């Protein structure tokens, strides 16, 4: 049985100043939104955040940006967040932008215990600066080091009390690999069921990677609404 929490504030109070976080999601899809809201209310600062992007101005990781709680972000996409763009251009925040596939593999490698790997992505670009290169079969590759985090904040659709997780369609995105790469993985789930009731074919993250669970309803905001006029 995993530790099942009843308060989102309780879930994030163990995150100290200066911690490194992985936060699941892609845009606003699959983000642990209630954990982020609670963290924005703690005042915890100097955070290093590893995430695909930084949400939007008034939701998701945009809340932490607005509060100046993030010192550095490792991401692949600035996205629709104007405050993120402003802080990057003004030098208020340190940012490391990576090719999306490289970011995903750095996280996956961290969870798998692989310290580094070679990739052709970024060769001949500013990403290559200060990185070791090596030639394989006449092609140049960059050495990229794996990523891990002190905490991973994850969103699941269904969890059982052993911590096994199932995600809903594209809300899976970065969540499974980030769940493996955090020393402490805190999961916000929409539904919590008894052990043995989750179809084994639907388990996307085994419970061995999960330390804490909390159930919460979500707003599920839409990042960009597109409609068709008739």
């Amino acid at each position: 049985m995993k530790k099942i929490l009843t308060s989102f504030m309780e879930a994030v109070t163990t995150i100290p100043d200066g911690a490194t976080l992985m936060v699941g999601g892609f845009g606003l899809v699959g983000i642990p939104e209630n954990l982020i809201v609670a963290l924005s209310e703690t005042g915890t600062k100097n955070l290093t955040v590893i995430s695909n992007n930084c949400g939007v101005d008034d939701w998701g990781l945009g809340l932490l940006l607005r509060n100046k709680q993030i010192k550095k972000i490792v991401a692949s996409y600035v996205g629709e967040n104007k405050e993120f763009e402003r802080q990057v251009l003004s030098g208020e925040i340190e940012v490391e932008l990576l090719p999306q596939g490289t970011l995903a593999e750095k996280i996956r490698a961290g969870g798998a215990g692989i310290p580094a790997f070679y990739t052709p992505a970024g060769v001949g670009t500013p990403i290559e600066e200060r990185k070791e290169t090596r030639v394989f079969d006449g092609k140049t590759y960059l050495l990229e080091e794996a990523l891990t985090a002190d905490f991973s904040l994850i969103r699941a659709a269904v969890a059982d009390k052993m911590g096994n997780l199932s995600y809903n369609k594209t809300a899976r995105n970065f969540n499974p690999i980030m769940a493996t790469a955090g020393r402490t993985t805190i999961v916000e789930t929409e539904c919590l069921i008894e052990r043995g009731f989750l179809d084994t074919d639907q388990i996307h993250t085994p419970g061995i990677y999960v330390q804490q669970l909390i159930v919460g309803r979500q707003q599920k905001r839409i990042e960009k609404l597109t409609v068709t006029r008739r």
Side-chain angles (χ1 to χ4, degrees), residues 104-126:
E105 182 62 11
K106 284 166 75 77
I107 296 167
R108 191 203 67 82
I114 300 168
F117 60 92
Y118 285 98
T119 175
V123 172
T125 75

Side-chain angles (χ1 to χ4, degrees), residues 186-208:
I186 306 171
V187 177
E188 173 179 331
T189 183
E190 299 173 54
C191 178
L192 182 64
I193 61 177
E194 295 293 334
R195 59 181 294 184
F197 284 89
L198 189 58
D199 186 337
T200 54
D201 286 337
Q202 296 301 313
I203 294 175
H204 304 132
T205 294
I208 192 171

Side-chain angles (χ1 to χ4, degrees), residues 38-215:
L39 186 58
S40 73
E41 296 172 353
T42 65
T44 305
K45 58 185 184 299
N46 293 326
L47 297 171
T48 295
V49 173
I50 302 167
S51 186
N52 177 67
N53 64 298
C54 225
V56 295
D57 290 301
D58 63 346
W59 198 238
L61 290 173
L63 298 175
L64 303 185
L65 276 174
R66 184 180 65 189
N67 294 345
K68 305 292 183 66
Q69 292 174 263
I70 301 177
K71 176 185 68 174
K72 177 181 179 180
I73 184 161
V74 181
S76 65
Y77 177 52
V78 174
E80 305 298 323
N81 195 313
K82 297 299 182 184
E83 178 61 17
F84 185 17
E85 178 183 352
R86 188 195 67 77
Q87 289 189 28
V88 170
L89 294 177
S90 65
E92 296 176 35
I93 189 172
E94 184 181 352
V95 61
E96 182 180 352
L97 288 177
L98 296 166
Q100 192 167 94
T102 299
L103 175 63
E105 182 62 11
K106 284 166 75 77
I107 296 167
R108 191 203 67 82
I114 300 168
F117 60 92
Y118 285 98
T119 175
V123 172
T125 75
I127 294 174
E128 184 177 346
E129 295 176 7
R130 298 184 299 278
K131 290 186 178 178
E132 178 186 330
T133 62
R134 186 171 173 183
V135 176
F136 296 93
D137 294 326
K139 188 173 182 178
T140 302
Y141 293 77
L142 303 181
L143 182 67
E144 292 282 1
E145 296 184 6
L147 288 171
T148 57
D150 301 313
F151 296 86
S152 287
L153 306 185
I154 302 301
R155 148 94 172 274
V158 182
D160 68 18
K161 291 184 178 180
M162 295 299 292
N164 298 305
L165 309 179
S166 179
Y167 308 98
N168 184 27
K169 301 181 176 67
T170 59
R172 186 185 309 191
N173 53 64
F174 278 80
N175 282 294
I177 56 174
M178 287 185 171
T180 70
R183 295 178 183 87
T184 298
T185 294
I186 306 171
V187 177
E188 173 179 331
T189 183
E190 299 173 54
C191 178
L192 182 64
I193 61 177
E194 295 293 334
R195 59 181 294 184
F197 284 89
L198 189 58
D199 186 337
T200 54
D201 286 337
Q202 296 301 313
I203 294 175
H204 304 132
T205 294
I208 192 171
Y209 295 111
V210 175
Q211 281 70 51
Q212 299 177 14
L213 294 163
I214 185 167
V215 183

